Amino acid sequence: MLENFMKNKILVTGGAGYIGTHTCIALHEAGYDFVVYDNLFNSSREAINRVSTLIGQTIEFIEGDIRDAESLKQVFAAHHFFGVIHFAGLKAVGESVAKPLMYYNNNVSGTITLLEMMSEYDVKNFVFSSSATVYGDPESLPINEESPRSCTNPYGQSKLTVEHILEDLAVSDDRWNLIALRYFNPVGAHSSGQIGEDPNDIPNNLMPYISQVAVGKLDKLSIFGNDYPTVDGTGVRDFIHVTDLAKGHVTALNYLNKQTRSNGSGTAKKNSVGFLPINLGTGKGTSVLELVSAFSEVSGQAIPYQFTDRRAGDIASCYASADKAKMLLGWQAELSIADMCRDTWHWQSMNPNGYTKVI
Ligand code: NAD
Ligand code: UD1
């Protein structure tokens, strides 16, 4: 538990979503108070109810949109926040290609409105959900935070644009403390099986697709390409357990606490964090076939698959250097690929239809 002097209230935008719900639990376990702000565009009240049950406490939840300045104003006026963890946004790459304005409006304009409100209420500590997608097709592996950035789709561009905005903001005023956490491939679910990833439609991403094949909702997995220059020809990614990822956010807040608080005597100097990008990954690559095999072993289910053409825009390999997170935040991923598969399977088999129906 944090010491009392570090106990702070956090605004969690998008806190009803996949990573947000897990982070709410981690915040509670670490002794932080929080308020969830979410428009429920891609989530449900049921997710909030389940988090409440898991932490044994009612959650302060406000249904609202980050693009709604008036609504945000009321929230900032009613609370004294130490900082904001900003998950709210849209995340489907294919949809972003079809509806770029919707993505820029939500992810970029929404973030600007939020930052303006933070500025007005003098809340200057910010943890942003960025993505490894900002690295595009990496020149070398593992990918560290200094690697060049480039994006090929509107979703990735929206994350990169927000990073540029945060960089400019940090230059404009050194009271801002802006951490961009670049997630690699978040998977898994809470060990209780009560919360997890709940895709709206047929999943685009690998782990939810595998788990829906395992539970019998989908017939077979298509593996997009088996001719990549990788260990077995299939794509390699840095899968990270969502519980580890959630803890990464707590360590980012703890870091901001340490850097920005005086020692109470009023004499200690506060350090400006500026713009600080940090990878959250395990540092290990796992191929699609290796993940399929691990999932099959843990779940005891066969995962039928076929090889198909490469998916447009995919890269061969992507995994993080996780050194900076370890050095600055004292954070490193602890859970294994088997843990990720076990917890995904637990969630999927207990909730074959996500939050809409419980068996
Ligand atoms: P999610 O869709 O489950 O959660 C996002 C939440 O934001 C949802 O509850 C949604 O209702 C809410 N939201 C969306 N637009 C909003 C708006 N305008 N106002 C208020 N609430 C809004 O997604 P997630 O997987 O939990 O991702 C969280 C964040 O992390 C997103 O910003 C995403 O881009 C980023 N990210 C996710 C991944 C991933 O693989 N899941 C990887 C890298 C980065
Ligand atoms: C995807 C997003 C990326 C985002 C990341 C976060 C795309 C194109 N990219 O990355 O912007 O930051 O999620 O988690 O959506 N695969 C299959 N069959 C499937 C699904 C996937 O073979 O049905 C393969 C892919 O080709 C890839 C690997 O599995 O090699 C991982 O795919 P996925 O889970 O979609 O993640 P990324 O493509 O890494």
Side-chain angles (χ1 to χ4, degrees), residues 179-235:
I179 297 186
L181 296 177
R182 295 178 181 152
Y183 313 154
F184 279 66
N185 287 59
V187 297
H190 190 256
S191 57
S192 64
Q194 289 300 309
I195 59 169
E197 191 171 8
D198 185 13
N200 266 333
D201 217 337
I202 296 179
N204 295 311
N205 298 117
L206 181 62
M207 186 64 117
Y209 205 107
I210 292 176
S211 66
Q212 292 200 11
V213 171
V215 85
K217 287 185 74 179
L218 296 169
D219 286 346
K220 71 164 85 137
L221 171 72
S222 291
I223 296 183
F224 302 141
N226 61 348
D227 57 352
Y228 284 109
T230 61
V231 59
D232 54 24
T234 65

Side-chain angles (χ1 to χ4, degrees), residues 168-190:
D168 291 343
L169 205 51
V171 170
S172 74
D173 179 347
D174 68 6
R175 289 172 303 160
W176 283 102
N177 305 297
L178 307 159
I179 297 186
L181 296 177
R182 295 178 181 152
Y183 313 154
F184 279 66
N185 287 59
V187 297
H190 190 256

Side-chain angles (χ1 to χ4, degrees), residues 272-283:
S272 172
V273 172
F275 172 72
L276 182 61
I278 301 183
N279 289 343
L280 291 184
T282 64

